[in-house]
Amino acid sequence: MKERKEKLLNSFWIMIQKNIISVVGAKWKYLKKRVTTTTYVTWLLFLFLVIVSALLFAGWIDLAKYSRHFYKKVANPPMRPQILEYPLDCNAWNKTNTCPRTYPTSYKPLKPNNSTCPEYFRWIHEDLRHWRNTGITREMLEKSKKYANFRLIILDEKIYVERYEKYSIQTRHLFTMYGIVQLLRWYPGKLPNLEIMFDTNDRPVIPAKDFQRPDSGPPPLFRYCSDWQSMDIVFPDWSFWGWAETNIRPWRSMIKNIKQGNKRSSWKDRIPFAYWRGNPNVSPIRKDLMKCNVTHQHNWDTLLYIQDWKDQSQKGYKESNIEDQCTHRFKIYVEGWAWSVSEKYIFACDSPTFYITPHYYDFFMRGMIPQQHYWPIRENDKCKSLKFAVQWGNNHTDKAEAIGKAGSEFIHEDMKMERVFDYIYHLLNEYAKLQKFDPIVPQNATEICSESLACPSDGVWRKFMEEALEKSPSYTDPCILPPPYEPQQLKAFVEQKVKATKQVEACENEYWSSLNKKD
C-alpha cells in the first residue's frame, strides 16, 4: 500500500510538471501578447502553491522526504476550557474592610468524579452516630460553647465567626478558619447552612460516660483528635494550611517536597536505624522514649534527637526541614500531649513507621492497619520493642520496604489535599443533616473570607496563607462518601487490627525468649 501510494504520488507529480510545461509552451505566444512576464509568473506561482497546499493538507506529500529536513508531527492539543483564577484582593479589603464578591458562588465541574472516597471516610458516620436518634438541637450546640474557641456559621454561602476569649494555642484557630474558607472556594455553592463549635486545644473534653442515655445527645464539639472514651468530632488539623510558628508550609507544598526528599536515596541505602526528632518535654511518653537512645551501655538501634524550636527559629529552621529527614530506614511516631501533627509527615517518608501504641486518633489514622501500613510498638516496653522491630526490618528488607511504601502511598494518595477537602465537605454535610434548627448569625459574629484573614497578616503567616489560597474551584465533584459500617463489618475491621498487633507482639516475645535462652 505504501509503495503504491508513492508511485501514484510520483506519477501525479510528473504529470503536473508536464502539464505546466505544455501550457507554458503552447500558450506562451498568446500570453506574451496579453500579459507581462511578471504577471504570468505570479499567477503560475499562485497556482503551484494552491496545488501543493492541497496535497500537504490531504497528507499526500511529506516535506521531510522532498526537502531532506526532518520534523516531528505533533497532534493538535485538545481544547481546554479556560480556568479563571481569583487571587487575594487586598486592595479592595483595605479600602472597605468587607469581603469581595467577585469569587464564583457556584461552579460546574469540568470532569466527573465517580470514585468512592477512601475507607477512612466511613468513620464520619461513626463520629456522628451519637446524634443519629436525637439529631442536633440548639440546646446541645450551646452546651459546647464553654469548651469552644470559636463558633463558625455558614449561611447562604458566607462564613461568619464568633470568637471567644478561651485560650487558643498559637494561631491554630486562624489557620483552621482559613481552611474552611478555602473549602468554600474549592466547592462554591455546595456547602450547607450550619453552625459548629470548635475547640483548637489538644485533648478531647466530651466524655462518653456522661451521655449514656439514648435520648440525651452530647454537645457537638469539633477538634483535631479524640479517643475511644470521648465523643468529640475529629476534624483535619490547622497545619494542612500551614504551621507558621514552626515554618511548616501548607500540605500541598509539603507533600511535593517530601516526594522529592524520598528520591534522594533508595530505601535499602538509608541508615539502618530507627529515627525520631521532636520535643520530649511535652509528655511523659516522649521522655520515656529518650531512654531508648543509643548509648555506650545500650544499643537499641535508635537515633533520637531533641528538637529545640526556639533555637531552630533563630537559625532559620535550616536543620528542621521535614523533607530532609527521609534518610533512615525506619521512622518512629510517638504522641505528644495528645495526638501529634508530626504523624502525616513521618508516614510520608517511604520508610516503615514504628507506631508506639496511641491513646488518641485523628481523622485518618483509623483507616490504617498494622503490618500493612505501619509496625506497632509497645508503649510499656518501648526500647526492646523498637530493637526487635529494627532487627526484623533489616532481616526482612522486602517486607519492611513494602510496609513503608504502603504507609507512604496512603498519605500521598488517600490524604492528598483534594481528599482532605472531601473529608471536610462530607463531614459538614452529614453534620448539617442532623441539625434541627436554622443557623443564625450572632450579633458579635463577623464575616470572614480569605482577604479578612490573610490581608491583615504579615510575615510567614501571610506567606503561607497566600500559598494555601485556592484560586479556582475544583474541576471535579467530591468523591462519593461510602456507607456506614454494618455492626459486623466494624467488628471485623477492629478485630483485624487487634489480631495484626498481637501477631507482632508474639513474634517479639519469641525473639527475646530465644536470645535469653542463648545467654
Side-chain angles (χ1 to χ4, degrees):
M1 181 66 186
K2 184 177 179 181
E3 292 178 358
R4 184 182 176 188
K5 182 179 177 181
E6 288 186 356
K7 286 180 180 179
L8 288 172
L9 183 61
N10 289 331
S11 299
F12 186 59
W13 189 253
I14 293 170
M15 182 181 69
I16 290 173
Q17 291 175 324
K18 287 181 177 180
N19 287 336
I20 291 173
I21 293 170
S22 175
V23 169
V24 172
K27 302 295 181 178
W28 173 247
K29 292 181 179 180
Y30 174 79
L31 290 171
K32 192 173 182 182
K33 295 178 182 179
R34 294 285 180 175
V35 297
T36 65
T37 303
T38 303
T39 305
Y40 171 75
V41 172
T42 302
W43 279 102
L44 189 62
L45 287 174
F46 176 75
L47 177 64
F48 175 78
L49 290 173
V50 168
I51 295 172
V52 171
S53 298
L55 292 173
L56 282 170
F57 183 78
W60 281 85
I61 296 179
D62 188 350
L63 284 180
K65 178 178 178 181
Y66 291 98
S67 66
R68 297 183 181 180
H69 290 286
F70 295 94
Y71 65 95
K72 184 178 180 181
K73 293 182 179 180
V74 181
N76 292 330
M79 294 296 291
R80 295 182 180 178
Q82 185 180 9
I83 299 176
L84 299 178
E85 291 190 349
Y86 300 84
L88 282 175
D89 190 356
C90 288
N91 289 332
W93 167 259
N94 292 334
K95 289 178 181 178
T96 64
N97 276 4
T98 58
C99 293
R101 303 297 178 204
T102 54
Y103 200 84
T105 56
S106 64
Y107 80 109
K108 184 178 180 180
L110 304 177
K111 181 180 177 182
N113 187 357
N114 299 319
S115 63
T116 301
C117 303
E119 184 77 7
Y120 70 87
F121 278 57
R122 301 180 83 172
W123 288 96
I124 290 174
H125 303 293
E126 293 303 310
D127 284 347
L128 299 175
R129 174 176 53 84
H130 315 298
W131 298 275
R132 190 179 298 165
N133 296 326
T134 62
I136 297 173
T137 66
R138 178 160 295 281
E139 181 183 7
M140 294 176 188
L141 182 73
E142 296 302 329
K143 287 181 179 178
S144 302
K145 184 175 179 179
K146 64 180 179 180
Y147 307 108
N149 294 99
F150 62 86
R151 180 201 305 260
L152 186 136
I153 307 100
I154 300 177
L155 186 60
D156 299 333
E157 292 303 309
K158 297 176 184 176
I159 300 179
Y160 304 87
V161 164
E162 182 182 44
R163 307 188 190 201
Y164 304 129
E165 295 299 324
K166 184 184 175 186
Y167 171 71
S168 177
I169 299 173
Q170 297 176 339
T171 50
R172 294 180 178 187
H173 62 294
L174 183 63
F175 279 88
T176 301
M177 296 173 192
Y178 194 75
I180 299 174
V181 167
Q182 299 317 301
L183 176 67
L184 189 63
R185 278 178 158 248
W186 189 244
Y187 289 136
K190 284 188 168 290
L191 296 188
N193 293 339
L194 54 76
E195 282 186 51
I196 64 172
M197 295 287 186
F198 209 109
D199 180 10
T200 61
N201 292 317
D202 285 323
R203 292 183 172 180
V205 294
I206 311 294
K209 62 182 179 62
D210 294 347
F211 301 95
Q212 298 297 321
R213 289 172 52 188
D215 60 340
S216 175
L221 183 68
F222 286 76
R223 69 176 337 98
Y224 310 122
C225 75
S226 189
D227 60 30
W228 301 107
Q229 293 76 43
S230 302
M231 295 181 171
D232 303 59
I233 304 169
V234 292
F235 189 95
D237 70 82
W238 74 96
S239 66
F240 283 100
W241 298 276
W243 189 0
E245 288 82 4
T246 59
N247 201 44
I248 293 178
R249 298 171 66 188
W251 183 234
R252 284 193 194 276
S253 302
M254 285 306 309
I255 208 167
K256 291 178 183 177
N257 292 349
I258 295 173
K259 279 184 179 180
Q260 293 302 314
N262 284 334
K263 293 178 182 178
R264 295 175 192 170
S265 61
S266 65
W267 181 78
K268 289 178 181 176
D269 291 335
R270 296 181 181 182
I271 301 169
F273 289 89
Y275 171 92
W276 180 79
R277 179 184 291 273
N279 180 5
N281 298 318
V282 296
S283 71
I285 299 173
R286 289 190 174 186
K287 286 184 178 180
D288 190 50
L289 172 64
M290 296 306 293
K291 298 176 183 177
C292 304
N293 216 346
V294 172
T295 65
H296 293 295
Q297 291 77 27
H298 298 286
N299 178 16
W300 299 111
D301 290 344
T302 60
L303 297 172
L304 313 175
Y305 301 91
I306 296 175
Q307 178 78 356
D308 186 336
W309 285 111
K310 184 177 180 180
D311 177 65
Q312 284 301 304
S313 66
Q314 295 171 350
K315 295 179 179 178
Y317 302 97
K318 294 179 180 179
E319 300 171 2
S320 59
N321 290 330
I322 292 173
E323 61 269 26
D324 295 337
Q325 298 179 29
C326 299
T327 53
H328 296 68
R329 282 191 183 176
F330 314 101
K331 301 291 292 291
I332 300 171
Y333 170 78
V334 59
E335 292 180 332
W337 180 243
W339 130 99
S340 173
V341 170
S342 65
E343 186 178 52
K344 57 184 175 288
Y345 307 114
I346 291 171
F347 268 106
C349 263
D350 280 0
S351 294
T353 296
F354 292 165
Y355 203 85
I356 297 175
T357 305
H359 294 268
Y360 305 93
Y361 56 79
D362 60 11
F363 76 102
F364 70 86
M365 189 60 208
R366 290 170 290 181
M368 304 186 87
I369 301 171
Q371 293 192 59
Q372 179 179 333
H373 299 109
Y374 63 93
W375 189 266
I377 300 295
R378 300 185 201 219
E379 179 191 9
N380 57 1
D381 202 356
K382 299 179 187 65
C383 300
K384 292 176 67 176
S385 192
L386 287 166
K387 175 76 174 182
F388 165 71
V390 174
Q391 291 296 312
W392 180 89
N394 286 330
N395 290 323
H396 301 81
T397 52
D398 290 341
K399 291 180 179 179
E401 185 176 12
I403 293 173
K405 287 287 185 183
S408 183
E409 185 176 345
F410 183 101
I411 298 298
H412 287 277
E413 294 301 322
D414 290 351
M415 277 277 295
K416 57 187 176 183
M417 201 63 217
E418 289 83 353
R419 296 292 82 81
V420 175
F421 277 135
D422 284 354
Y423 189 94
I424 303 173
Y425 166 81
H426 285 301
L427 176 61
L428 294 182
N429 271 277
E430 295 302 308
Y431 172 91
K433 292 176 185 177
L434 297 169
Q435 197 170 251
K436 287 193 167 183
F437 58 90
D438 293 328
I440 58 173
V441 180
Q443 186 176 0
N444 295 329
T446 56
E447 184 183 359
I448 62 169
C449 56
S450 298
E451 284 76 10
S452 71
L453 299 174
C455 296
S457 301
D458 55 16
V460 71
W461 286 261
R462 170 72 173 270
K463 175 186 174 183
F464 286 174
M465 287 186 183
E466 290 182 349
E467 193 172 321
L469 180 74
E470 299 301 333
K471 296 180 181 178
S472 304
S474 170
Y475 64 91
T476 67
D477 278 325
C479 59
I480 300 169
L481 180 66
Y485 285 110
E486 294 293 335
Q488 289 302 317
Q489 289 179 317
L490 183 57
K491 181 182 178 184
F493 182 74
V494 173
E495 287 177 349
Q496 178 190 4
K497 298 180 74 168
V498 172
K499 181 180 178 181
T501 300
K502 287 185 176 180
Q503 286 176 345
V504 170
E505 291 176 350
C507 291
E508 186 180 319
N509 292 339
E510 184 178 348
Y511 171 82
W512 288 109
S513 177
S514 63
L515 283 183
N516 291 335
K517 287 179 181 178
K518 288 180 182 179
D519 291 341

